[in-house]
């Protein structure tokens, strides 16, 4: 649920895949075999960036998509927690009425504070700690074509899974 990298210089209208295409992490993953990322269908399939199978055929591809979705939900949950902790980042609060540079600083500060809260075990607002120490919520809370290398790596994962 932690954020390990923050790049807040892009406007909210920017495409996630376009931002990733211009980041240092992409270049690092292209040059080094250090693992894989999970991306939604808005990202291009690459050997280091696994995306869901758009039209799964068969049990193996369906199982891959289920496992992929389980991994992606962690990312979505982290963003949900961040926006719940800092309501100024949630769309229901409108928009931040500052310059783009100041908004980028606010987003970065919120992410760092979120990580600090996780490190210090600060409960989420609206959360009560049970006697056993566990949290209890009071409330219910256009894609580039895949490349051959990405298709090959994803098929290997599907067949192994």
């Amino acid at each position: 649920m932690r954020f390990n990298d923050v790049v807040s210089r892009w406007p909210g209208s920017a495409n996630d895949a376009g931002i990733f295409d211009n980041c240092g992490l992409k270049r690092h993953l292209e040059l080094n075999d250090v693992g894989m990322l999970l991306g939604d269908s808005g990202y291009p399939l690459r050997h280091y960036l696994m995306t869901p199978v758009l039209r799964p055929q068969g049990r193996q591809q369906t199982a891959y998509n289920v496992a992929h979705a389980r991994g992606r939900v962690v990312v979505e949950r982290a963003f949900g927690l961040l926006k719940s902790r800092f309501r100024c980042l949630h769309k229901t609060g409108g928009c931040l009425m500052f310059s783009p540079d100041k908004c980028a600083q606010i987003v970065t500060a919120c992410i760092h504070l979120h990580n600090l809260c996780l490190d210090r075990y600060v409960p989420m607002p609206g959360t009560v700690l049970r006697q056993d120490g566990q949290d209890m919520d009071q409330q219910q809370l256009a894609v580039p074509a895949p490349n051959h290398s990405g298709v090959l790596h994803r098929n290997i994962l599907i067949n192994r899974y």
Side-chain angles (χ1 to χ4, degrees), residues 76-140:
E76 299 303 328
R77 189 166 165 237
F79 278 106
L81 286 176
L82 174 71
K83 291 189 278 187
S84 291
R85 190 180 296 274
F86 299 98
R87 299 301 294 172
C88 64
L89 301 179
H90 196 277
K91 65 182 176 183
T92 59
C95 64
L96 294 173
M97 301 301 287
F98 300 100
S99 71
D101 287 339
K102 180 62 82 175
C103 290
Q105 291 173 351
I106 291 169
V107 169
T108 301
C110 288
I111 289 172
H112 287 293
L113 289 169
H114 170 79
N115 286 345
L116 181 66
C117 288
L118 292 175
D119 292 343
R120 303 282 172 91
Y121 302 103
V122 175
M124 290 292 296
T127 301
V128 190
L129 288 179
R130 299 187 318 207
Q131 286 184 347
D132 61 5
Q134 296 294 317
D135 290 348
M136 181 175 68
D137 255 342
Q138 288 182 338
Q139 300 176 353
Q140 298 292 21

Side-chain angles (χ1 to χ4, degrees), residues 4 32 38 128:
N4 296 320
N32 303 285
L38 297 178
V128 190

Side-chain angles (χ1 to χ4, degrees), residues 1 3 11 16 23 25 30 38 44 47 49 53 56 65 67 82 90 94 100 115 122 125 129 135 139 152 157:
M1 304 310 284
F3 291 88
D16 291 344
C23 78
L25 177 59
E30 286 176 341
L38 297 178
H47 71 277
L49 178 58
V53 178
N65 275 1
L82 174 71
H90 196 277
N115 286 345
V122 175
L129 288 179
D135 290 348
Q139 300 176 353
L152 178 66
L157 282 173

